[in-house]
Amino acid sequence: PCRAAHFQQHLPTLAPFVFSKMPVRFSCTSFAPVGSRLAVIGNCPELGDWSLERAKMMEARLGQGRLQSEPDFHWVDVELPQAQQGVEYKFVEFCGGGGGVKWEETAGGNRHVVLDGERAGEVQLLPVEKFGTNATESDHTASFYSGVKQRGEISVRRVTSQIFIGSCPRSTQHIDYLRSLGITAIANFQSEDDCKRNCVAGIGMEENAQAVRGEYDRRGMQYIWMPTADMCSEGRTQMLPRASHTFAELLRAGHVIYSHCNAGVGRSVSAVCGYLTFVLGLTDRQMQHAVASSRPAAFFDFEALRRARPSFDGTFGKDVGTRAHIDDEFCKRRDATATTLSKTPPGTSRVRFSVAYATQQDDGSRVVVVGSCPELGSWDVRMALVMESCGPDFQVADVALPMPTGHKIDYKFVALSGDSERWEEFSIGCNRHLEGKGDELVILPVARFGQLYGDQKQREEAMAVIVP
């Protein structure tokens, strides 16, 4: 007894065990009227224990900006214990104007939380669901597009700064609207019959599907037509490899793409999905969240993506994989290079430029940065910033620039060899841009000579759509 009492007196005090939590994203698309609120409710305290008063209210991505027949994307991040299992849930609609509560009805009963490692940053991503329905592609498209067509509208949604998805333009005013958004390239996936039935009025498309090309030419917009059968998974499978590669080339050149079919629901969505997954390396789940949150009307043909992947990899995959590996190596070399600036003058920021370009060391060839400020030569290559060669295929330069917040500087890279000058040329006829961020150190992405943007820019933007 004495030994037992002694042992009890020296028992350590144990803190109560607390399960660590993780953010889990619940999301769905819904045709609920504007003014209604959606929530997620379930069988655990974090989801309200099936109590409507404690349900987790969701945010609506489009809100008041929706078209009359357009669905919205609803989402909420909920902290759930990592070790918790057996979580069941449903979505509920709180109807506007005191119209009561609508519980979704699903054929299989409640939904179940299944965490499969899909994430964006620290947020675990559940699949994007459709509120209370497993509608077919045809039904889903008709719910949205019939109203758009009847009212003669165009439905345009932005995914990234360079990718828009939407319905077909129905008038020259719609084309002018697309141009006003900064769109420079149109990717049309309508079949020939689609073009004649869902066309730009008054230009002869009813007889000649190609008549619209002249409208884009007159506005300085590039037009790419890739006819694809509607509501046809096999047609999308055949279209995806070429479309994904074409998108990559256009975006690297600086184009802003409008991807459309009839409704902007199936074929045009698939082309963007292929680019995001095949070229940028997003998972299917990440891609689904990036696109659905931007284009809630989207229909996802995961089977077509799966079938098209081998064809894309066999034709273009080696180039994509090699490019990604080289970009990673260039980034490491950029970051490992010691600065050439010993001191930064007051009121300036240190900026690091880097570009992938091969020079011949023995003939005096070099690369310079020329731009719209005196420090970059004021567009005079004789006064431009000379870059340091870090190997035969990579150039780096540091410079102190007056960069107050919001101040913009235009620039380009120029390759010099003897008396010859090779300036970068972009198909959209613009310069590179650098925007000031106050006194912050500015390390620019590694550039490729003659290509305005790299794939990493698009990937970062797409991921930022999911987790800003």
Side-chain angles (χ1 to χ4, degrees):
C2 293
R3 285 194 297 271
H6 178 76
F7 177 74
Q8 290 172 358
Q9 291 173 2
H10 289 83
L11 278 176
T13 302
L14 298 178
F17 184 77
V18 178
F19 288 108
S20 59
K21 293 189 174 184
M22 57 188 171
V24 178
R25 177 157 301 177
F26 295 82
S27 62
C28 71
T29 58
S30 168
F31 284 92
V34 175
S36 297
R37 294 288 306 275
L38 264 65
V40 60
I41 188 170
N43 66 343
C44 62
E46 293 80 7
L47 296 177
D49 281 326
W50 298 116
S51 169
L52 289 172
E53 290 75 19
R54 299 198 302 273
K56 289 291 184 181
M57 302 305 296
M58 306 176 79
E59 298 289 335
R61 184 59 60 92
L62 301 183
Q64 298 292 332
R66 293 163 56 189
L67 296 179
Q68 186 174 333
S69 59
E70 187 174 18
D72 208 340
F73 176 84
H74 304 264
W75 64 278
V76 65
D77 293 340
V78 180
E79 296 279 344
L80 294 181
Q82 291 189 7
Q84 189 162 348
Q85 297 180 354
V87 177
E88 299 182 16
Y89 70 99
K90 279 190 173 183
F91 298 108
V92 293
E93 176 189 338
F94 291 84
C95 303
V101 177
K102 177 182 177 181
W103 291 69
E104 67 169 347
E105 297 180 4
T106 53
N110 298 327
R111 300 185 186 275
H112 297 266
V113 172
V114 178
L115 300 179
D116 51 12
E118 289 279 2
R119 65 175 62 205
E122 298 300 317
V123 179
Q124 300 278 337
L125 300 176
L126 298 178
V128 179
E129 308 287 0
K130 291 185 176 68
F131 183 89
T133 180
N134 290 311
T136 65
E137 178 184 1
S138 178
D139 291 340
H140 175 75
T141 302
S143 298
F144 163 64
Y145 185 54
S146 57
V148 172
K149 183 175 182 179
Q150 182 179 6
R151 294 185 297 272
E153 297 172 332
I154 185 171
S155 168
V156 181
R157 294 296 171 201
R158 188 182 82 166
V159 181
T160 71
S161 65
Q162 289 179 254
I163 302 174
F164 290 76
I165 302 175
S167 60
C168 59
R170 315 189 76 85
S171 67
T172 54
Q173 288 78 16
H174 287 167
I175 296 177
D176 289 334
Y177 171 64
L178 296 176
R179 189 170 183 270
S180 75
L181 295 175
I183 291 166
T184 60
I186 306 296
N188 179 9
F189 296 94
Q190 293 174 293
S191 68
E192 184 171 359
D193 286 343
D194 288 334
C195 288
K196 292 179 178 180
R197 293 196 307 266
N198 299 275
C199 60
V200 177
I203 63 171
M205 279 189 76
E206 296 86 349
E207 292 77 30
N208 178 12
Q210 288 275 23
V212 72
R213 185 179 298 275
E215 297 296 326
Y216 292 119
D217 288 345
R218 278 189 285 276
R219 292 165 174 81
M221 303 168 77
Q222 191 165 334
Y223 179 64
I224 303 98
W225 184 28
M226 289 180 267
T228 305
D230 195 11
M231 305 285 178
C232 177
S233 186
E234 181 57 34
R236 288 188 284 255
T237 299
Q238 296 175 15
M239 167 270 288
L240 273 163
R242 177 192 165 203
S244 302
H245 176 71
T246 299
F247 276 28
E249 293 298 302
L250 289 170
L251 294 167
R252 290 165 186 164
H255 280 285
V256 178
I257 299 174
Y258 182 59
S259 180
H260 83 80
C261 43
N262 285 339
V265 170
R267 292 164 287 181
S268 56
V269 166
S270 290
V272 174
C273 294
Y275 168 72
L276 294 176
T277 53
F278 298 172
V279 178
L280 299 188
L282 272 66
T283 67
D284 284 354
R285 188 76 51 76
Q286 291 169 340
M287 169 273 291
Q288 185 191 28
H289 276 261
V291 174
S293 61
S294 307
R295 181 69 174 171
F299 175 83
F300 297 93
D301 190 344
F302 293 107
E303 183 61 22
L305 288 164
R306 184 190 64 79
R307 293 196 304 263
R309 187 63 187 252
S311 177
F312 177 86
D313 287 345
T315 307
F316 308 110
K318 183 178 180 181
D319 173 66
V320 171
T322 300
R323 183 186 182 93
H325 174 73
I326 292 174
D327 285 348
D328 287 343
E329 289 301 313
F330 282 147
C331 286
K332 292 176 183 177
R333 288 161 65 179
R334 174 201 62 192
D335 297 341
T337 303
T339 182
T340 57
L341 299 178
S342 57
K343 188 177 181 180
T344 303
T348 64
S349 298
R350 190 182 75 184
V351 179
R352 170 158 292 184
F353 296 92
S354 58
V355 62
Y357 186 80
T359 58
Q360 298 295 324
Q361 300 291 319
D362 55 357
D363 67 356
S365 59
R366 61 199 184 279
V367 178
V368 299
V369 187
V370 64
S372 59
C373 62
E375 293 80 2
L376 299 181
S378 298
W379 296 115
D380 184 346
V381 293
R382 296 171 300 178
M383 306 297 293
L385 175 67
V386 179
M387 306 190 76
E388 177 184 354
S389 180
C390 298
D393 56 356
F394 189 61
Q395 320 294 321
V396 174
D398 289 345
V399 64
L401 296 177
M403 293 293 291
T405 301
H407 179 66
K408 293 183 179 181
I409 291 175
D410 286 6
Y411 68 98
K412 281 186 174 181
F413 298 105
V414 182
L416 304 178
S417 180
D419 295 331
S420 67
E421 302 176 2
R422 182 188 173 193
W423 288 65
E424 289 188 297
E425 294 183 4
F426 305 121
S427 58
I428 61 173
C430 68
N431 303 313
R432 298 183 185 273
H433 303 285
L434 169 63
E435 185 168 342
K437 298 181 180 180
D439 296 330
E440 292 183 24
L441 170 66
V442 181
I443 299 180
L444 299 174
V446 176
R448 286 176 175 261
F449 192 94
Q451 294 184 3
L452 191 56
Y453 297 121
D455 294 345
Q456 187 61 26
K457 171 184 178 290
Q458 286 299 317
R459 190 179 197 284
E460 290 174 356
E461 285 193 18
M463 293 301 292
V465 174
I466 309 171
V467 182

